[in-house]
Amino acid sequence: MPTYSLQREILMEEPYDLVVAGAGPAGCAAAVCAGRLGARVLLVEAMGCLGGMATSGLVTAFDPMANGERMIVGGFMAELVETMWARGFIPAGVTPDYWRKFYHRWTPFNAEGLKLLLDEMALAAPVEIRLFTRVIDADANAAARHVNGVVIQNIEGYRFVAAKTFVDATGDAVLADLCGAACREPGRDTPAAMPPTLCSLYAGIDWERAEKRHPDKFKNEQELLEKAIADGMFTQPDRHLPGMWKAGDQVGYLNAGHIFGVNALRGKDLTDAMILGRKLAAEYTAFYRKYMPGCEKIEHVTTASLLGVRESRRIVGEYELTLDDYMARRQFPDQIGVFNKFVDIHVHNTSHEEYERFLLEKDKYRLGEGEFFGIPYSILVPAGWDNLWVAGRCNSSDVPVHGSIRVQPAAAMMGQAVGTAATQAMRTGQPAGDLDTAALVEALREQGAYLPQTQLSRQMTRR
Ligand SMILES: Cc1cc2nc3c(=O)[nH]c(=O)nc-3n(C[C@H](O)[C@H](O)[C@H](O)COP(=O)(O)OP(=O)(O)OC[C@H]3O[C@@H](n4cnc5c(N)ncnc54)[C@H](O)[C@@H]3O)c2cc1C
């Protein structure tokens, strides 16, 4: 494509200590934790609310936070889910054992409740929130691996915002890429990405009449789906159905309809995916109405405004967390969280073989009850950069481990870690790559993180 050069003067905002790009679970945790530690924080979010995939993406269930014996996700995320429960934002029938104890159990929640709570937590921290605002460029010294500031864009036009530190929590490593940090892209550096899904909300479900696996999940979706596929209900015979989850008395959140062949870093692909996602959602509405007891009168309230992207660009970090680490249940001196979720790599096509592959891997790469693996700090530091961190989906892990830690509780732990690390870096003058990680771990423990490693190290784990 030809290039075009444009030069213009833009207004400069007052500088911040920390700019966080993206307000999903990772960005919110980073911003709130840094704000609480006294940093002047700007949280920049492209959509109209905080929460990212959890709210704008209508992914209204937290992945497992316990391992069958105890809650292994603490800190900000534990505070969030406990407050959601206390405020009545967790559906009836779901008990605290879901997140405090059970093995591999999802905790559904009310998305409006989460929006409200995140607003309150951010304002109280305090954090300055800028909604409907996108980070579109960066002024970075790629040789010195230092970020000076970002260009943001909203209704007021372009603004330059300088800061001492930066967190990329965009999910797609947008800021890291704009800065020139090394990144891996699916289809270029790793196999093609998992397909996205456009999630939906439904009303009018008679959960009492439905046959259920546990209070918030249907029992027999898979068998009924196979029948509906055989009956010709669907444009594509997608056998992998994460399914409908109870999100309120008569409400369900649907995670269904893989959209194959999408590169989530291409604007046209995202557009086409939203259009096909809405068509698929209409097909699933017809499916549930016709086949699922309790769903005869459901109404499709809305599809999400954010496409459910599972996998896109990730940074090349100081360390890459691998399947070997995962299978070894490896503990790291600088781990900022521990986790237990299975390797969840969704189907790449509609074949029977691919669905069998998914089922096989899901059980093969799964830790047992009471177990966990560590998430080291160094997967959040773009290699060599001194005032830039990432958190959430764009972390440095191989494809299988990413399939485990791409989810909301892990993203929130990463966010808490980098928000805390950024404030420590400002206070001590230590760059991201030479941060005293023993001090970071102690600070996170004080904030309620569950970090059971017995050995600490001043240095982070490196490859
Ligand atoms: C279909 C689907 C189902 C899932 N199911 C579950 C589940 O059941 N439980 C679970 O825990 N997890 C689930 N996940 C995973 C999880 O929701 C996400 O991976 C997680 O939210 C990642 O958190 P994040 O903060 O890294 O990114 P996100 O939640 O994606 O947030 C990134 C935010 O950055 C914003 N942004 C992007 N670019 C810019 C920019 N340039 N400037 C400003 N803002 C920007 C976006 O608008 C967004 O709000 C699911 C994911 C998908 C796609």
Side-chain angles (χ1 to χ4, degrees):
M1 219 185 272
T3 58
Y4 180 80
S5 171
L6 176 72
Q7 222 180 359
R8 60 169 65 206
E9 303 258 306
I10 61 173
L11 293 174
M12 270 176 87
E13 300 220 350
E14 286 293 308
Y16 286 83
D17 291 330
L18 169 65
V19 170
V20 178
C28 288
V32 168
C33 294
R36 286 175 177 176
L37 291 168
R40 195 170 123 76
V41 184
L42 178 67
L43 177 58
V44 182
E45 169 53 45
M47 309 296 284
C49 63
L50 304 184
M53 212 57 88
T55 54
S56 302
L58 290 180
V59 174
T60 65
F62 297 128
D63 255 69
M65 288 175 260
N67 65 358
E69 286 181 2
R70 60 157 295 151
M71 188 166 185
I72 56 171
V73 175
F76 175 89
M77 187 65 218
E79 177 187 342
L80 191 69
V81 67
E82 293 291 347
T83 314
M84 296 277 286
W85 165 249
R87 295 274 292 268
F89 301 146
I90 305 281
V94 176
T95 67
D97 279 347
Y98 272 53
W99 61 90
R100 290 185 200 160
K101 187 169 169 209
F102 290 156
Y103 173 67
H104 269 108
R105 181 67 64 83
W106 276 246
T107 303
F109 59 83
N110 176 281
E112 283 305 311
L114 183 60
K115 288 180 196 173
L116 203 66
L117 187 57
L118 289 173
D119 285 346
E120 290 172 11
M121 289 170 93
L123 293 174
V127 166
E128 174 146 356
I129 307 167
R130 208 69 64 84
L131 299 177
F132 299 118
T133 305
R134 199 169 262 281
V135 170
I136 57 161
D137 208 344
D139 175 30
N141 182 337
R145 308 222 164 156
H146 184 87
V147 190
N148 302 314
V150 291
V151 179
I152 59 172
Q153 184 273 330
N154 61 22
I155 187 72
E156 298 172 63
Y158 303 143
R159 294 281 169 90
F160 181 76
V161 187
K164 294 178 188 139
T165 56
F166 298 84
V167 167
D168 182 342
T170 59
D172 300 319
V174 172
L175 175 55
D177 184 57
L178 288 171
C179 290
C183 292
R184 291 192 185 87
E185 287 186 19
R188 188 188 73 184
D189 311 303
T190 56
M194 270 185 269
T197 292
L198 184 62
C199 294
S200 284
L201 267 192
Y202 286 84
I205 303 175
D206 187 346
W207 286 103
E208 289 310 310
R209 235 165 41 72
E211 209 188 335
K212 284 178 279 170
R213 199 164 81 200
H214 49 70
D216 50 283
K217 194 85 183 81
F218 292 119
K219 188 177 169 201
N220 46 357
E221 279 167 309
Q222 194 62 42
E223 302 91 269
L224 294 174
L225 176 81
E226 293 290 347
K227 185 167 175 353
I229 289 175
D231 292 350
M233 290 287 292
F234 291 101
T235 304
Q236 55 178 29
D238 181 357
R239 297 199 150 69
H240 182 174
L241 176 61
M244 185 87 84
W245 299 75
K246 186 173 177 182
D249 265 2
Q250 296 172 16
V251 181
Y253 127 69
L254 180 68
N255 172 354
H258 293 100
I259 305 168
F260 299 103
V262 173
N263 180 344
L265 301 173
R266 301 281 170 272
K268 174 146 178 29
D269 280 24
L270 291 176
T271 307
D272 293 347
M274 291 298 280
I275 293 169
L276 178 56
R278 285 189 274 270
K279 182 167 184 274
L280 293 178
E283 293 180 3
Y284 282 95
T285 308
F287 158 67
Y288 279 94
R289 273 196 194 130
K290 183 165 175 197
Y291 292 81
M292 185 65 73
C295 289
E296 296 82 357
K297 293 184 178 165
I298 56 167
E299 288 179 58
H300 187 191
V301 178
T302 185
T303 48
S305 42
L306 195 60
L307 181 68
V309 173
R310 295 187 167 87
E311 192 185 350
S312 64
R313 183 168 44 217
R314 300 202 286 286
I315 59 152
V316 175
E318 289 284 359
Y319 185 71
E320 185 184 51
L321 193 60
T322 66
L323 185 59
D324 285 346
D325 296 324
Y326 174 96
M327 293 307 281
R329 286 83 170 149
R330 187 169 169 197
Q331 303 295 299
F332 300 87
D334 65 329
Q335 66 197 13
I336 50 81
V338 295
F339 211 49
N340 173 291
K341 198 209 164 171
F342 69 90
V343 170
D344 188 8
I345 309 275
H346 285 232
V347 292
H348 286 89
N349 58 54
T350 59
S351 68
H352 282 283
E353 298 74 34
E354 182 58 3
Y355 184 55
E356 288 304 314
R357 191 272 310 151
F358 162 74
L359 292 178
L360 207 75
E361 283 189 358
K362 173 169 172 277
D363 288 335
K364 185 171 170 195
Y365 303 126
R366 175 190 287 268
L367 304 190
E369 294 200 27
E371 295 186 320
F372 46 76
F373 64 97
I375 302 175
Y377 162 75
S378 43
I379 70 165
L380 308 176
V381 181
W385 286 74
D386 73 356
N387 67 341
L388 175 64
W389 291 262
V390 305
R393 194 157 56 76
C394 43
N395 67 72
S396 175
S397 51
D398 69 7
V399 171
V401 174
H402 183 262
S404 166
I405 62 174
R406 65 190 169 82
V407 296
Q408 294 170 34
M413 288 193 289
M414 295 182 224
Q416 177 155 22
V418 298
T420 306
T423 53
Q424 182 179 326
M426 282 183 277
R427 204 181 59 246
T428 61
Q430 297 160 352
D434 196 24
L435 199 83
D436 178 346
T437 54
L440 174 65
V441 169
E442 294 295 4
L444 292 171
R445 282 175 175 163
E446 273 171 35
Q447 295 171 30
Y450 176 62
L451 299 173
Q453 64 265 45
T454 45
Q455 278 203 317
L456 300 186
S457 163
R458 218 195 72 75
Q459 299 289 323
M460 67 181 172
T461 303
R462 285 199 156 87
R463 70 189 74 215

